Amino acid sequence: MDPVTLEVMLGSLRAACDEMGAVLVRSAHSANIKERRDASTALFDADGQMVMQAEHIPVHLGAMPSAVAAVLDEEQRPGESWILNDPYRGGTHLPDITVITPLFHDGEPAGFAASRAHHADVGAGEPGSMPALSRTLADEGVVIPPTRLTDEVLHGLARRMRNPRQREADLRAQLAAGRAGGERMAALIERFGIHTVRAGMRETLDYAERRTRARIAELEDGVREAADVLEAADGDLQLRVRASVEGDAIQLDFSGSAAQHDGNLNCPLAVTLSACYFALRVLTDPDVPPCSGAYRPLTVVAPEGSLLNARPPAAVAAGNVETSSRVADLVLRAFGHALGQGTMNNLTLGNDRFTYYETLGGGQGACEDADGPSAVHVAMSNTLNTPIEALELEFPLRAVEYALRRGSGGAGRHRGGDGVIRELEALDEMRYSLITERRRHAPAGADGGEPGRPGRNLLNGDELPAKASGTLNPGDRLRIETPGGGGHGIG
């Protein structure tokens, strides 16, 4: 394909994914999607290969090919979409619900449009469906296997969750995003023809592979190793990686990492792959078209039954948000990078009348030529914050303090970024759930740089552990101080 046509097609596919995301965000009702934009969109070819994604949530996007693969062999019908959230059949954790819409041209399959959104509740015993201390998948909410999304199914699922009208509205927003993707794909086919579009998709995948392999080839061959821990409620869990670079390919071997455990830090394989894809993108060329072709040079080894390739019915609520962050950290640490906060600082609040979920930014690690940015969502998270005005308007909460946590970044020739302080006062009785990391172990610096400061969770001034849940009474104040990033170089 001539380069100009390919570039036009690349731009069209990217714009289609961006438009899908805009439709989803503007149509959604929950603050989690419309304010924080905790949602992602992508387009796939008829073989289930991801040909383009919007620059949304890394942990969603790298795992979405597994969701499309879960329905690929089913009979596809025009006008019928699929829904799923089962972590062991293409999902990540239960609040992340995926809607997949098959696309057709003249009655023949032309591809798939997919969206994944974090719903504010999926029916767990703990409001918000992010329990800090869950032990099995059944503790975390409604499990949805790959299912045709009819109106009857949609109503039935929403009734099993809190705020069913809001759940239904958010699911319909995902259906609207799929329709938008179908319309844009149809316009592309009308402009270029189905054969040219299919050829363009193949060339997009091959082009991304060539560029990624070229950057890997610039890395020095050899083996690099790193180790780190996760802060489980009953002690630390060891993670290890052995990164091997040979020519234009990379293997990441996580053998020697902890076995799956009876908490919720377990990862389905799709989440581990997603974190590895993110790290590969950071290490090679972030401007490569974000598609499955860019991941062809990567091989991931994660033994079945380990923390990074768990078997059902292991709980996974924290695996998707926290363990994925640690996997990305591990790979970047093996290649000599200072680490960012390494946690999403998950906070869930709710009762029978409302549910609220947010992740909090923190410090990013410094690099060899610049300080790390402060108060940003790091690694596998790419959401916005919830504006205080929206928070106080919709929920029985008052923001007491929202500020930079000055001095929390690690010292060095270049400093790590600072974390944030977020303190909320409850105005009604509600449950809280905290799933956080880097409270006992600080984010490491690099090349002699100092680590960032660990985070802290406090309730009315008393320190809470990294994983905690309980009840807030009116007037109680929950304070989260997020970690700073590691410094780089000796100052």
Side-chain angles (χ1 to χ4, degrees), residues 405-429:
R405 190 186 178 200
R406 298 190 183 279
S408 56
R413 187 169 61 252
H414 294 287
R415 289 193 62 90
D418 288 335
V420 302
I421 297 169
R422 180 91 146 172
E423 185 170 341
L424 300 176
E425 180 181 343
L427 303 181
D428 194 358
E429 183 177 312

Side-chain angles (χ1 to χ4, degrees), residues 168-252:
E168 186 171 326
D170 286 351
L171 287 172
R172 292 197 182 280
Q174 289 186 255
L175 285 168
R179 287 194 294 272
E183 291 169 1
R184 297 287 75 78
M185 183 66 76
L188 197 60
I189 292 171
E190 182 178 355
R191 178 178 181 183
F192 290 103
I194 185 64
H195 297 297
T196 301
V197 169
R198 285 173 175 163
M201 288 180 173
R202 289 194 299 270
E203 181 57 28
T204 296
L205 296 168
D206 293 343
Y207 172 63
E209 179 183 2
R210 290 195 301 273
R211 282 186 58 174
T212 303
R213 288 192 183 278
R215 293 302 300 269
I216 293 173
E218 296 173 3
L219 300 173
E220 185 179 348
D221 280 6
V223 175
R224 303 158 173 85
E225 297 187 16
D228 209 332
V229 296
L230 286 160
E231 299 170 349
D234 54 354
D236 294 340
L237 299 172
Q238 186 82 21
L239 294 183
R240 294 183 178 276
V241 68
R242 179 181 173 88
S244 304
V245 178
E246 185 174 350
D248 61 358
I250 290 180
Q251 182 187 76
L252 299 175

Side-chain angles (χ1 to χ4, degrees), residues 307-373:
L307 199 69
L308 303 183
N309 186 3
R311 293 181 296 235
V316 297
N320 179 61
V321 287
E322 298 301 283
T323 308
S324 68
S325 300
R326 189 65 68 258
V327 170
D329 276 357
L330 264 180
V331 178
L332 296 177
R333 187 174 189 176
F335 284 86
H337 287 255
L339 301 184
Q341 66 165 342
T343 175
M344 297 190 196
N345 303 293
N346 304 268
L347 169 63
T348 312
L349 300 167
N351 53 33
D352 290 338
R353 294 176 297 282
F354 83 97
T355 54
Y356 173 69
Y357 169 73
E358 71 175 355
T359 59
L360 299 178
Q364 178 60 288
C367 56
E368 61 183 357
D369 59 357
D371 293 344

